Amino acid sequence: MSKNIKCLAIETSCDETSVAIVENGRNVLSNVISTQIDIHKKYGGVVPEIASRNHVENITYVVDEALEKANVELKDIDIIGCTYGPGLVGALLVGVSTAKAIAYALQKPLVGVHHIEGHIAANYITHPELTPPYLCLVVSGGHSHLVYVKDYTKFEILGKTRDDAVGEAFDKVSRTIGLGYPGGPIIDEKAKSGKPIYSLPRTFFENLDFSFSGIKTAVIQLMNKEPNISIPDLCASFEEAVTDMLVENVLKAVELVKTNKIAIAGGVSANSYLRERMKRIGAIHNLKVYYPEIVLCTDNAAMIGSAAYYNYQEGKVSSLNLNAVPNLKIGES
Ligand code: KG4
Ligand code: ZN
């Protein structure tokens, strides 16, 4: 039997300092997430400089805690994975530099991981039976992509947003209606006691692209027009409109690539209404629907450990010259 591969993985692309120990891409031994949300909340969003500084302060403690929780020592680690893009450059650099230092000290392979490929890989942890090919809807704070996952490290982009990402729309709408940051989980909660009674626009294109800036503007206009608007109903209406756009393109993509497996990934895949709708379309269209457990939807290092393992298996390792690439495109890694 081949040896078990233990990966120490680091994720610092935005406002989470996270380190995980993952065995063979699927078995999470520890996944420590130190979130800075409370620090950035008062600014209404992530302040890049503050994020970098906090990563610097936290990273060694988080590495130690991840090793301790997994009950392993550095000498037991076989590969080091880290997110090297896309994301905030200063934040990414903290994780990349730490990973390089550990890889150099241990003389073990370094594997740079694309953040979004990590989000997709979160599904391998939650669903041991999931194997490519399948379709993945990636919805996060920075990305809205429909990806055909041809193999563990082969991706084809079928559609993407032309303006705002879905999570960005959630965050901007939340700020506009005074609900705070991060908007996604707050809107999710408020919408549960609301009804989708307000009419909001849906944008569709001939191809599989998305657009979410129109709906954001429509919400702002509606707020100005109706001072006594019901916030739960507005949240439910917003979620329904956004989900209609996502689901429509997912179904078109299913036809295009002829698959019966769909996964969702990224922070917005934690959204309870989106999860419920995906489940419903799965039942109607006879599709198997996968989504990560909630803690693996938003940023975490376990997903990076999974993606790093599959890259390593394909011989895709990085040199110690690895640098942060803030606007790295998917499939370019
Ligand atoms: O994947 P992620 O942690 O970071 C990026 O890679 O961007 O995603 C963060 C985004 C934020 O915009 C946040 O508001 C959104 O995911 N989000 C949600 C929920 N939880 C987080 N959006 C909708 N419903 C949620 N429950
Ligand atoms: Zn993310």
Side-chain angles (χ1 to χ4, degrees), residues 173-194:
V173 163
S174 175
R175 203 179 313 151
T176 304
I177 60 185
L179 293 179
Y181 174 85
I186 308 172
I187 291 182
D188 191 346
E189 212 35 55
K190 290 272 176 212
K192 285 179 186 160
S193 57

Side-chain angles (χ1 to χ4, degrees), residues 80 82 95-105 110 319-323:
I80 325 300
C82 67
V96 170
S97 313
T98 308
K100 279 160 70 168
I102 297 174
Y104 180 68
L110 173 72
S319 81
L320 288 177
N321 291 327
L322 183 71
N323 204 351

Side-chain angles (χ1 to χ4, degrees), residues 19-153:
V19 178
I21 313 292
V22 183
E23 201 170 56
N24 297 337
R26 304 243 182 188
N27 184 19
V28 179
L29 305 183
S30 66
N31 184 27
V32 180
I33 306 166
S34 166
T35 181
Q36 305 174 9
I37 285 180
D38 281 344
I39 299 168
H40 298 282
K41 229 179 207 165
K42 52 180 174 285
Y43 305 103
V46 178
V47 183
E49 259 311 304
I50 296 177
S52 320
R53 259 183 269 155
N54 276 282
H55 286 309
V56 172
E57 280 173 20
N58 289 340
I59 190 74
T60 46
Y61 299 105
V62 182
V63 168
D64 285 347
E65 195 181 333
L67 287 166
E68 200 178 309
K69 286 212 163 120
N71 201 17
V72 299
E73 293 178 30
L74 270 180
K75 66 171 174 45
D76 304 320
I77 299 298
D78 302 291
I79 60 173
I80 325 300
C82 67
T83 305
Y84 76 105
L88 304 169
V89 68
L92 287 165
L93 273 170
V94 178
V96 170
S97 313
T98 308
K100 279 160 70 168
I102 297 174
Y104 180 68
L106 298 180
Q107 291 294 301
K108 290 285 160 71
L110 173 72
V111 185
V113 172
H114 188 293
H115 181 73
I116 294 303
E117 294 176 13
H119 272 302
I120 295 170
N123 279 290
Y124 298 132
I125 298 169
T126 305
H127 306 284
E129 76 285 8
L130 175 63
T131 52
Y134 59 91
L135 189 71
C136 188
L137 173 69
V138 182
V139 277
S140 72
H143 289 77
S144 306
H145 279 68
L146 255 172
V147 182
Y148 185 40
V149 184
K150 294 177 162 175
D151 207 336
Y152 288 104
T153 65

Side-chain angles (χ1 to χ4, degrees), residues 11 13-14 115-116 119 140-143 266-267 297-300 303:
E11 156 64 42
S13 66
C14 193
H115 181 73
I116 294 303
H119 272 302
S140 72
H143 289 77
C297 289
T298 42
D299 291 348
N300 68 89
M303 67 186 198

Side-chain angles (χ1 to χ4, degrees), residues 261-319:
K261 289 194 274 186
I262 331 164
I264 53 175
V268 184
S269 66
N271 184 265
S272 34
Y273 180 69
L274 173 63
R275 289 164 90 97
E276 182 204 311
R277 282 281 297 274
M278 290 297 293
K279 208 162 128 189
R280 241 188 285 158
I281 66 158
I284 295 169
H285 297 272
N286 204 16
L287 306 166
K288 183 91 186 78
V289 178
Y290 302 87
Y291 26 67
E293 60 199 277
I294 298 287
V295 69
L296 299 178
C297 289
T298 42
D299 291 348
N300 68 89
M303 67 186 198
I304 303 303
S306 176
Y309 170 79
Y310 289 107
N311 276 312
Y312 174 70
Q313 295 290 53
E314 290 290 317
K316 294 185 175 179
V317 295
S318 312
S319 81

